[in-house]
Amino acid sequence: MNILLIGSGGREHALAWKLAQSPELGTLHAAPGNPGIFEHAQDAGLNPADKPSVVAYCREHDIGLVVVGPEVPLVDGLADALEAADILVFGPSAAAAQLEGSKGFTKDLCTRKRIPTARYGRFTDATAARDYVQRHGAPIVVKADGLAAGKGVTVAMTRDEALAAIDACFSGGDGDEVVVEEFLEGEEASLFCLCDGNQALAFGTAQDHKRAFDRDRGPNTGGMGAYSPALPMTPELTRRAMAEIVEPTLAGMREVGTPFKGVLYAGLMLTESGPKLIEYNVRFGDPEAQVLMLRLESDLLPILLACAKGDLSGVAPHWRDEVALTVVLAANGYPGTYAKGSEIRNLPPERLGMKVFQAGTRRDGERLLADGGRVLNVSATGATVRQAARAAYEAVAVIDWPDGFCRSDIGHRAIMAEPE
Ligand code: AMP
Ligand code: GLY
């Protein structure tokens, strides 16, 4: 079967790398792609926002399945356009993608289905939002509605911080609606679930590291590293999260006529009273997909295909009994402004249990150049988080790229917590 993969990040490189190992794969096509992805895929030369061209390309190249990596084309209705043309697609409709695209939509679904989440208010004017903060006090969390690439959230430790965040949201910044919600305490973990519209299948857990610098300091980023499986996410907590959060969500989506197909990524807070939903994403995490793909033993292709066809009943993925960890190398200055075009030398070749996935890179002849904020994902497996981290950082040390930086403590909380 020929597959078209949409996206150009490290997440899509990991998906391409894994799909390329499938005996069922014919030709893998990708757009926009990156040099890492093009080691496994043919450049489709498409703009994913141009839906008619994507549909025409699929017909021309006998594409049996389209796998959509990022959220933007999903929220924009790419899956709808493909389904309307009878082309199988892994990824939700635009209506179902509101689970990520609109925090208010997700919060209202939580209320309707009694899904554990932070208490909240939705506001379209600053005065009412400010009143809510005055009544509830701090710490409190202010979220701009709409897609904000993880940057529309303020965890305010004081009332003044919360009020300032509200004013910023309504000053023509991130959107015209805010959600103000209760501050939840606990460890965060991510749960990935494959969904076929009716049923959900747990598909791995991870913890990421959102802050730019060591010891969780500095600004929020798209993620500076991750490891899987998430140490605090016991099988019992996964069972509870599936039963109390994910399954009622799927039922709720079905009830309103927008069944969810694809991967549902639940950002959870593991509180004293059990897992609570912080947010949903409607796609794999980046860089969480990189660690999931390193651990997945089963063939990815039939799994994604079953999902797209709407029947996961025969699917039972197998995982390596190992930890995988990835360290993100980002351009100096990220997540603020950074330069593009510096040369990266000495990428270590793939070996058993170690792989460098490429994110923001481009080729210039034989040279590999940085071309984005997050540039490389140095990923490795090990028997423990400590061992996986050691293997990943050994590979990081080999790479010659003076214009990039990484955190030196990925996995630190898990390493402290795991037995020696
Ligand atoms: P989000 O974009 O909703 O995932 O929020 C980004 C980050 O803000 C999360 O990963 C949490 O660390 C933090 N956060 C969001 N909501 C809450 C909450 N209700 N309580 C505590 N922390 C939160
Ligand atoms: N690493 C966080 C995300 O993909 O949203």
Side-chain angles (χ1 to χ4, degrees):
M1 166 178 290
N2 299 331
I3 293 187
L4 172 63
L5 175 65
I6 301 293
S8 61
R11 165 181 50 209
E12 288 77 23
H13 187 189
L15 294 172
W17 172 79
K18 188 67 190 163
L19 286 169
Q21 295 168 29
S22 173
E24 293 179 36
L25 182 70
T27 303
L28 184 61
H29 303 245
N34 71 33
I37 294 169
F38 294 139
E39 285 171 13
H40 311 287
Q42 179 173 317
D43 185 355
L46 285 168
N47 171 6
D50 181 357
K51 288 174 259 184
S53 296
V54 176
V55 168
Y57 186 92
C58 290
R59 293 210 168 109
E60 218 169 288
H61 294 84
D62 193 21
I63 300 293
L65 175 68
V66 179
V67 176
V68 184
E71 64 276 18
V72 171
L74 294 167
V75 171
D76 187 40
L78 181 57
D80 306 72
L82 290 162
E83 285 212 338
D86 272 333
I87 297 162
L88 280 175
V89 55
F90 177 80
S93 66
Q98 282 186 87
L99 282 176
E100 174 163 359
S102 164
K103 294 188 192 298
F105 173 88
T106 301
K107 286 304 234 182
D108 289 351
L109 176 85
C110 288
T111 305
R112 216 169 63 241
K113 302 303 290 181
R114 297 178 189 282
I115 292 168
T117 186
R119 285 189 302 274
Y120 71 102
R122 284 178 77 169
F123 305 98
T124 48
D125 76 278
T127 313
R130 292 175 65 97
D131 282 352
Y132 187 91
V133 168
Q134 296 295 8
R135 278 202 310 281
H136 289 83
I140 196 161
V141 181
V142 178
K143 301 184 173 186
D145 211 353
L147 289 182
K151 290 165 200 152
V153 176
T154 303
V155 179
M157 286 303 156
T158 64
R159 265 179 215 210
D160 285 347
E161 235 182 295
L163 297 174
I166 288 169
D167 292 342
C169 286
F170 285 110
S171 67
D174 290 309
D176 51 358
E177 180 172 325
V178 298
V179 170
V180 184
E181 68 177 37
E182 172 197 6
F183 173 77
L184 298 174
E185 261 190 284
E187 269 229 59
E188 276 181 68
S190 305
L191 171 63
F192 298 88
C193 308
L194 296 177
C195 306
D196 65 7
N198 291 304
Q199 50 173 329
L201 178 72
F203 195 65
T205 62
Q207 277 189 308
D208 82 347
H209 298 63
K210 285 201 165 70
R211 300 298 193 104
F213 308 130
D214 281 4
R215 282 169 290 151
D216 299 316
R217 304 216 174 144
N220 265 326
T221 69
M224 293 300 292
Y227 78 95
S228 169
L231 200 67
M233 196 70 196
T234 59
E236 171 58 14
L237 283 176
T238 298
R239 194 198 58 72
R240 277 189 70 180
M242 293 302 289
E244 296 169 17
I245 298 175
V246 175
E247 281 157 17
T249 299
L250 281 206
M253 294 301 281
R254 241 183 1 251
E255 283 159 20
V256 294
T258 55
F260 187 90
K261 275 205 311 194
V263 58
L264 190 59
Y265 157 178
L268 303 174
M269 191 69 88
L270 308 177
T271 72
E272 274 183 352
S273 59
K276 292 192 178 179
L277 181 70
I278 300 175
E279 63 156 0
Y280 275 131
N281 295 305
V282 299
R283 37 124 188 126
F284 282 112
D286 188 348
E288 291 88 338
Q290 290 80 318
V291 285
L292 290 185
M293 292 305 112
L294 271 185
R295 286 187 51 236
L296 181 65
E297 203 167 88
S298 305
D299 187 349
L300 179 65
L301 192 156
I303 297 176
L304 299 187
L305 187 62
C307 230
K309 283 185 172 164
D311 184 9
L312 274 170
S313 53
V315 174
H318 290 284
W319 300 91
R320 291 197 178 85
D321 189 17
E322 277 184 320
V323 175
L325 181 141
T326 187
V327 177
V328 171
L329 265 63
N332 288 336
Y334 173 82
T337 52
Y338 50 83
K340 291 183 177 179
S342 56
E343 186 171 358
I344 302 160
R345 296 187 188 84
N346 265 355
L347 272 199
E350 178 178 351
R351 58 178 164 72
L352 194 65
M354 197 289 294
K355 169 79 191 163
V356 180
F357 295 111
Q358 296 184 32
T361 59
R362 78 180 159 85
R363 280 222 173 270
D364 175 26
E366 285 300 294
R367 300 191 317 147
L368 185 67
L369 306 182
D371 196 37
R374 293 189 295 170
V375 172
L376 300 171
N377 313 131
V378 183
S379 314
T381 56
T384 59
V385 184
R386 182 178 275 108
Q387 286 183 23
R390 190 174 301 143
Y393 280 110
E394 273 170 19
V396 168
V398 170
I399 297 171
D400 177 8
W401 183 39
D403 297 80
F405 76 101
C406 66
R407 279 182 58 160
S408 68
D409 65 347
I410 299 304
H412 65 108
R413 276 194 313 280
I415 291 170
M416 298 288 285
E418 78 186 353
E420 282 286 326

